[in-house]
């Protein structure tokens, strides 16, 4: 803000004579800036801050008799995040269903991040090493699925991995398996779906940092007796680390809150946090618990982001 | 001379493998011996000191690198084929400072990259000490490169950069540390060893790049226009520094440049290249005084080209007749020259002006005279219409330069006319 605020006028005006005019100009500029920013502020306020405040408020209320909330303050929703009431003894115990959903969500999000990294790294390297004109083509191919709806893409994956799907047909034909694999409605199916959905989010930042990579450094490393594996380990990975971190964050965050993919591919047994939250607002009619869960998810995303920002700022402070 | 790079563990030096002095100590002893010897030589400034004599013997002991009929074609389809190298053969002696000189696109960098292993020859072979290394990847060749823009690893410190090659060779940690220390002192960078490479100046980066490439004790060091990014003063400094390093390490240097002055001042031998071919290989004196053809003569230094008639030949010299009838002796090039009309060159500093027109070998009129401090350049038009430049050293007693329009004679120094191959 500070450097934008300094108008070129002010810099070139002699101190004293034009100072008043310069201050006035700066004030005008400040006003214009506020005017320009205000639509965004209104949208953020109405669509972001306000609903979040309502959710925060709801999470401290009791559930209403037919959905909604009754305005009696309580910590019940936050307690029920990981605990549950025993129906008969009215004592509190760990809610294993919730804990398994949390761990599955985190596990699948981490798994997705790792697999997209493994698949995306060579892909991004391949694109970055193409001649300049071909790169845009490959990037377009990578981002092509992104232009279609997530729902459509998820259905496409379903067609692929279902019992009578392409994958099973090919594997049966090749004789790798003798009876069709049932991948659908398992965490594996969700995993595959998430990797497919978020791969472009990994490839793009990886490509961005690989494109900046000076390939003469790789030649220099080869020249200095580094084998291909050592070049990757000692030169390429340290230099594209910002891309790896950015891609991992970009994949982890939407993965942990995924809703459509686990709903369609995971069936009832592979629920993730997103589905659990939606259930609270739907069939379970427990809005306060849904609100608390939503905030819990947001907290996890925030933690991931803070770790990322810390990592980045630490690096730039060092540099 | 006990060279720093003669190590018991060096594959080529199997004979000395029984030496019982610990390797690290040996490193130090050798380094001290070299530095000492070098200092003495500088102090005494005697060309025949022990250092110099030994070095003379070392040069030409054996062939370090040989390119045997090497061709490199880029582009796959026949209509896009580019012959970066066209049947090039050259052999570079051990401990030689060899320069590949030529304009950009002449294939000099391609030849360097073939020796380093970044490219593989389409045809022919690259031999290192008689062994065919054409198929080896760069990391299996005892050859290191100093890159044009240094290519230092930005995520490492100066010391880590220098130690990289040794670490990749799997040398023990204390040996790496010792060698890095020795290298740092060799390039005078001890106090900057923990800096990141983007925190040091261009000249310092240059030194680090040199130290990094020298640290693993390569048999051959390749330098790809390493001085082109430096300003003039630093470049001059580094030219001397490079000569010193080559001298102290006794490693074969192959230096690529498009700067003729750099090539002439630093090299033992120079290969002049154009369009993927080597036009001439020789000492700087040979290249300058006895250029084979028009391209070499034109590319290195200034030349006056004159059309003459070849009258008779006598061994390596010939009698030629100029357009005005003057007959003089000229040196023939190594390649064959057909009789009749040929081209000869005369360097601008090998001719003098004479006030008496008839006393000169050639006659002409001064168009322009430009004063350069150390000397004055006279731009003449000869009576036959050819342009001719004379560079004459200035003396304190000179009565001022000869003004344009003056009719003058030109006297060519003896043994200064070189016939060009056609």
């Amino acid at each position: 803000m500070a450097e934008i605020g300094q108008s070129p006028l002010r810099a070139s005006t002699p101190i004293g004579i034009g100072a008043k005019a310069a201050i006035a100009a700066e004030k005008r500029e400040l006003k214009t800036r506020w005017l320009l920013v205000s639509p965004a502020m209104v949208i953020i306020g109405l669509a972001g801050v306000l609903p979040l405040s309502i959710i925060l408020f709801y999470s401290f209320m009791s559930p209403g008799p037919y959905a909604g909330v009754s305005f009696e303050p309580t910590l019940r929703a936050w307690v029920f995040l990981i605990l549950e009431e025993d129906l008969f003894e009215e004592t509190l115990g760990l809610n294993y269903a919730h804990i398994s959903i949390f761990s599955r969500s985190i596990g699948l999000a981490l798994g997705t991040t790792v697999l997209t990294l493994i698949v995306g790294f060579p892909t991004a390297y391949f694109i970055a090493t193409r001649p300049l004109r071909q790169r845009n083509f490959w990037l377009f191919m990578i981002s092509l699925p992104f232009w279609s709806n997530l729902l459509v893409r998820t259905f496409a994956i379903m067609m692929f991995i279902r019992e009578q799907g392409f994958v099973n047909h090919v594997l049966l034909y090749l004789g790798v398996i003798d009876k069709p694999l049932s991948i659908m409605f398992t965490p594996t199916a969700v995993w595959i779906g998430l990797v497919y959905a978020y791969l472009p989010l990994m490839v793009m930042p990886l490509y961005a940092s690989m494109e900046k990579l000076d390939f003469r450094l790789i030649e220099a490393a080869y020249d200095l007796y580094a084998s291909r594996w050592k070049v990757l380990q000692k030169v390429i990975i340290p230099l594209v680390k910002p891309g790896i971190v950015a891609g991992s964050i970009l994949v982890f965050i939407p993965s942990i809150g995924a809703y459509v993919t686990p709903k369609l591919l995971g069936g009832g047994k592979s629920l993730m946090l997103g589905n659990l939250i939606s259930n609270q607002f739907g069939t379970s009619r427990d809005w306060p618990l849904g609100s608390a869960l939503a905030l819990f998810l947001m907290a996890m995303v925030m933690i991931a982001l803070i770790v990322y920002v810390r990592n980045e700022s630490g690096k730039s402070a060092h540099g | 001379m006990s060279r720093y790079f003669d190590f018991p563990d060096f594959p080529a030096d199997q004979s000395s493998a029984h030496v019982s002095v610990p390797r690290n100590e040996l490193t130090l002893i050798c380094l001290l011996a070299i530095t000492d010897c070098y200092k003495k030589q500088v102090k005494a400034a005697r060309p025949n000191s022990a250092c110099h004599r030994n070095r003379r013997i070392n040069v030409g002991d054996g062939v370090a690198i040989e390119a045997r009929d090497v061709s490199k074609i880029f582009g796959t389809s026949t209509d896009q084929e580019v012959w970066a190298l066209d049947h090039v053969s050259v052999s570079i002696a051990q401990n030689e400072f060899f320069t590949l000189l030529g304009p950009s696109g002449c294939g000099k960098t391609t030849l360097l990259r073939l020796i380093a292993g970044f490219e593989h020859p389409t045809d022919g072979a690259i031999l290192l000490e008689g062994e065919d290394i054409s198929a080896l990847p760069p990391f299996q060749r005892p050859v290191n490169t100093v890159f044009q823009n240094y290519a230092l690893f930005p995520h490492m410190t100066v010391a880590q950069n220098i130690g990289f090659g040794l670490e990749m060779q799997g040398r023990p940690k204390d040996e790496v540390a010792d060698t890095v220390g020795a290298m740092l002192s060799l390039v005078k960078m001890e106090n900057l060893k923990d800096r990141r490479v983007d925190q040091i100046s261009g000249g310092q980066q240059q030194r680090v790049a040199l130290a990094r490439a020298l640290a693993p004790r390569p048999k051959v060091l390749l330098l790809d226009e390493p001085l082109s990014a430096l300003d003039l003063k630093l470049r001059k400094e580094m030219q001397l520094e490079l000569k010193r390093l080559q001298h102290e390490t006794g490693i074969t240097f192959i230096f690529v440049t498009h700067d003729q002055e750099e090539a002439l001042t630093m090299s033992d031998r120079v290969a002049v290249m154009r369009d993927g071919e080597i036009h001439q290989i020789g000492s700087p004196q040979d290249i300058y005084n006895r250029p084979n053809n028009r391209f070499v003569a034109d590319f290195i230094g200034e030349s006056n080209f004159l059309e003459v008639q070849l009258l008779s030949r006598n061994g390596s010299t010939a009698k030629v007749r100029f357009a005005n009838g003057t007959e003089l002796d000229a040196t023939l090039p190594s390649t064959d020259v057909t009789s009749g009309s040929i081209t000869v060159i005369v360097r601008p500093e090998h001719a003098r002006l004479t006030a008496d027109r008839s006393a000169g070998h050639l006659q002409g009129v001064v168009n322009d005279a430009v004063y350069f401090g150390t000397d004055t350049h006279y731009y003449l038009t000869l009576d036959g219409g050819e342009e001719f430049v004379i560079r004459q050293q200035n003396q304190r007693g000179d009565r001022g330069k000869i003004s344009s329009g003056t009719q003058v004679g030109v006297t060519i120094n003896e043994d200064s006319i070189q016939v060009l191959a056609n």
Side-chain angles (χ1 to χ4, degrees), chain A residues 190-246:
Chain A
V190 181
W191 190 30
I192 294 170
L194 287 173
V195 168
Y196 175 63
Y198 298 127
L199 186 62
L201 292 180
M202 180 61 89
V203 173
M204 293 297 173
L206 275 179
Y207 166 76
S209 60
M210 278 183 195
E211 193 197 30
K212 277 184 276 173
L213 187 68
D214 184 354
F215 283 89
R216 281 170 305 192
L217 295 178
I218 296 172
E219 268 187 1
Y222 275 138
D223 190 58
L224 291 161
Y225 313 103
S227 60
R228 285 175 181 83
W229 168 243
K230 282 282 182 193
V231 171
L232 181 71
Q233 195 188 338
K234 297 277 182 182
V235 178
I236 301 176
I237 289 180
L239 288 174
V240 301
K241 204 174 150 205
I244 295 174
V245 175

Side-chain angles (χ1 to χ4, degrees), chain B residues 4 26-36 182 185-186 248:
Chain B
Y4 172 42
L26 195 69
T27 315
L28 263 174
I29 293 166
C30 290
L31 191 68
L32 285 174
I34 297 157
T35 324
D36 205 25
S185 70
L186 193 69
E248 286 186 22

Side-chain angles (χ1 to χ4, degrees), chain B residues 28-221:
Chain B
L28 263 174
I29 293 166
C30 290
L31 191 68
L32 285 174
I34 297 157
T35 324
D36 205 25
C37 196
Y38 179 67
K39 273 182 197 154
K40 266 184 213 155
Q41 196 200 342
V42 171
K43 256 185 211 158
R46 282 191 315 244
N48 279 338
S49 74
C51 259
H52 203 272
R53 266 205 309 277
N54 281 339
R55 190 177 132 65
R56 275 273 154 254
I57 292 160
N58 278 344
V59 171
D61 270 354
V63 175
I65 283 281
E66 189 184 348
R68 208 173 267 176
D69 206 21
V70 168
S71 294
K72 177 68 189 175
I73 305 168
F74 288 112
T76 41
S77 59
T78 34
D79 54 321
Q80 285 183 329
E81 262 182 18
V82 177
W83 285 69
L85 290 174
D86 191 355
H87 298 283
V88 165
S89 290
V90 59
S91 81
I92 297 158
Q94 250 154 19
N95 303 352
E96 192 172 21
F97 198 121
F98 193 88
T99 298
L100 298 168
L101 174 68
S104 59
C106 71
K108 56 191 193 297
T109 297
T110 305
L111 184 53
L112 201 75
R113 291 174 61 81
L114 284 170
I115 297 169
F118 301 132
E119 313 275 357
H120 297 284
T122 314
D123 199 16
I126 304 283
L127 284 79
L128 177 74
E129 293 180 346
E131 228 175 286
D132 190 348
I133 56 163
S134 312
L136 290 182
F139 54 88
Q140 284 173 12
R141 298 183 185 203
V143 172
N144 289 138
T145 310
V146 177
F147 293 86
Q148 188 168 8
N149 294 301
Y150 320 137
L152 296 176
F153 303 120
H155 57 296
M156 296 181 194
T157 63
V158 166
Q160 284 169 334
N161 262 285
I162 296 173
F164 187 83
L166 296 161
E167 257 174 55
M168 291 300 114
Q169 284 181 323
R171 308 272 178 144
K173 268 210 170 71
D174 49 339
E175 193 205 322
V176 173
D178 285 353
T179 312
V180 168
M183 280 298 147
L184 282 165
S185 70
L186 193 69
V187 295
K188 302 177 189 122
M189 291 280 295
E190 295 102 321
N191 49 351
L192 296 174
K193 66 180 163 71
D194 294 321
R195 290 276 188 93
R196 275 163 42 124
V197 292
D198 53 4
Q199 294 169 327
I200 58 176
S201 72
Q204 290 165 339
Q205 288 183 5
Q206 168 73 78
R207 285 161 194 274
V208 176
L210 267 168
R212 184 181 70 173
L214 285 170
R217 303 161 212 135
K219 292 185 178 170
V220 177
L221 185 75

Side-chain angles (χ1 to χ4, degrees), chain A residues 63-130:
Chain A
Y66 312 100
V69 289
S70 63
F71 296 99
E72 296 156 29
T74 167
L75 286 175
R76 182 189 150 279
W78 289 99
V79 171
F80 277 24
L81 214 58
I82 45 167
L83 300 178
E84 66 182 343
E85 208 169 38
D86 195 292
L87 278 178
F88 304 105
E89 296 174 22
E90 296 195 356
T91 54
L92 290 173
L94 280 178
N95 188 335
Y96 290 107
H98 280 193
I99 288 170
S100 82
I101 288 174
F102 294 163
S103 50
R104 185 183 303 126
S105 294
I106 294 170
L108 274 172
L110 286 176
T112 305
T113 309
V114 170
L115 195 60
T116 48
L117 186 59
I118 291 170
V119 176
F121 195 92
T123 312
Y125 190 83
F126 172 83
I127 298 172
T129 48
R130 289 313 94 188

